[in-house]
Amino acid sequence: MHNHTPDERAARVPTIHVVSDSIGETAQVVARAAAAQFGVTNPRLEVFSKIKSYQEVHDYLVDHVAYHQRTFGDDRILVFYTIVDAGIRHELAAFTERHPNILAVDVMTSAVDAIAEMSGMEPVNEPGALRVVDSNYFRRIGAIEFTIAHDDGRAPEDLTRADIVLLGVSRSSKTPLSIYLAQQGYKVANVPLDPSTEPPAQLFEVDRTRLFGLMISPEVLISIRQKRIKKAAGKTGGGQFAMLSKNYADPEYIYRDLEASRALMRRLGCIVVHTEGRAVEETAQEILRYYERSHPTAADIID
């Protein structure tokens, strides 16, 4: 990977043809995750979804093989598929075995078969089962609504109603993490910490296993805040710049800000998680590993 520029890597990763009898969401997620291993986070995807018959898939693949041959002089194509209908899936597998120029990846079957073998149960075989509108769907919607209403310290009287409470200084990723966790079905509140402002008293009433302090290194925080000030200053009229404290990106102030935050986190007994140099998803997974040790969740069931 180190021998290629980002543009070269993007050009070398082929278009991934996603074929599904649902909307193809699962295969798209897997395709993006796989491409990211080659430094390409936004691969070219072509999605053929809601298929009803093997003939549809057959005609689609034949057309695309011919197109690639005409356009690129190379008839090879890459296919990721999630097909629940066993008949269509078996015919597709047989077709691709006869055509080595079609590299096809069955995204779901091995995983489903493994669960069936270990559990002794039969899969429901319903396309889009992951997206069934059930109580879990409404739980996630409720979590997102709660989280938006309790962003940036709002409604502190509800802190004990939250599944997870995040606290940290400005620009420590509180809001992105809150929204990501809410999308997983957790009601999240986040509280900004500032040495010049007393934290809400309700923080001390929250179960410490639900409290997570976000910490970031001073050097990274200084850089982030300096960039924010420059961006705000460039806005018409500089209104956003005027709203920021003159100490906002001052190194000495930031060191005091972080030290005061650490002291409060120690008093609260919360779990401290570092956010610098990590994707939101990585930090969220660490938080959930701690959270689920104390609050194990039952498996979601589709009736």
Side-chain angles (χ1 to χ4, degrees), residues 121 129-130 132 134-137 139-140 183-186 297-303:
M121 297 188 296
L130 189 63
V132 169
D134 58 9
S135 60
N136 301 311
Y137 171 83
R139 184 190 71 209
R140 288 192 291 273
Q183 291 170 338
Q184 316 307 309
Y186 299 92
T297 55
D300 292 340
I301 304 298
I302 299 174
D303 294 325

Side-chain angles (χ1 to χ4, degrees), residues 42-274:
N42 190 29
R44 296 180 300 277
L45 300 180
E46 180 159 330
V47 181
F48 183 37
S49 60
K50 299 289 186 180
I51 62 165
K52 301 297 183 186
S53 69
Y54 164 69
Q55 191 62 46
E56 287 180 336
V57 185
H58 173 276
D59 293 347
Y60 172 85
L61 295 179
V62 169
D63 286 347
H64 280 263
V65 166
Y67 171 79
H68 277 252
Q69 179 64 53
R70 289 194 310 270
T71 307
F72 308 111
D74 184 348
D75 66 353
R76 295 177 304 160
I77 66 170
L78 176 59
V79 179
F80 282 25
Y81 65 92
T82 52
I83 297 177
V84 169
D85 185 290
I88 298 175
R89 191 172 66 245
H90 293 154
E91 286 191 90
L92 173 57
F95 176 77
T96 57
E97 282 180 12
R98 297 193 302 270
H99 295 78
N101 55 333
I102 301 175
L103 180 55
V105 179
D106 183 347
V107 172
M108 284 289 288
T109 299
S110 295
V112 171
D113 287 350
I115 293 174
E117 181 178 342
M118 291 292 289
S119 68
M121 297 188 296
E122 290 294 322
V124 295
N125 288 328
E126 293 179 6
L130 189 63
R131 298 178 60 85
V132 169
V133 178
D134 58 9
S135 60
N136 301 311
Y137 171 83
F138 292 108
R139 184 190 71 209
R140 288 192 291 273
I141 295 298
I144 291 170
E145 291 176 346
F146 180 95
T147 300
I148 291 172
H150 296 81
D151 183 41
D152 203 32
R154 286 183 290 182
E157 65 276 9
D158 291 336
L159 285 177
T160 55
R161 293 178 49 216
D163 296 317
I164 293 171
V165 177
L166 305 178
L167 54 153
V169 300
S170 175
R171 315 313 286 181
S172 57
S173 299
K174 295 186 300 298
T175 296
L177 268 169
S178 296
I179 297 299
Y180 180 86
L181 289 165
Q183 291 170 338
Q184 316 307 309
Y186 299 92
K187 293 185 293 184
V188 184
N190 74 70
V191 178
L193 301 181
D194 185 322
S196 63
T197 306
E198 278 294 313
Q202 293 89 345
L203 265 180
F204 292 89
E205 300 171 14
V206 178
D207 179 346
R208 67 179 58 188
T209 63
R210 298 180 184 274
L211 272 177
F212 293 86
L214 306 181
M215 189 52 64
I216 185 170
S217 69
E219 296 76 17
V220 171
L221 186 56
I222 289 167
S223 174
I224 291 172
R225 289 190 178 181
Q226 286 175 343
K227 288 176 183 175
R228 187 185 181 201
I229 285 180
K230 287 178 183 177
K231 184 177 180 181
K235 300 284 185 181
T236 304
Q240 287 188 332
F241 178 72
M243 292 173 62
L244 296 176
S245 163
K246 64 181 181 180
N247 294 323
Y248 186 72
D250 177 68
E252 185 176 342
Y253 177 86
I254 285 176
Y255 278 100
R256 290 205 311 272
D257 197 357
L258 289 172
E259 189 48 49
S261 298
R262 285 193 193 93
L264 176 63
M265 292 172 191
R266 285 194 292 269
R267 285 169 58 202
L268 290 167
C270 64
I271 297 162
V272 176
V273 176
H274 286 262

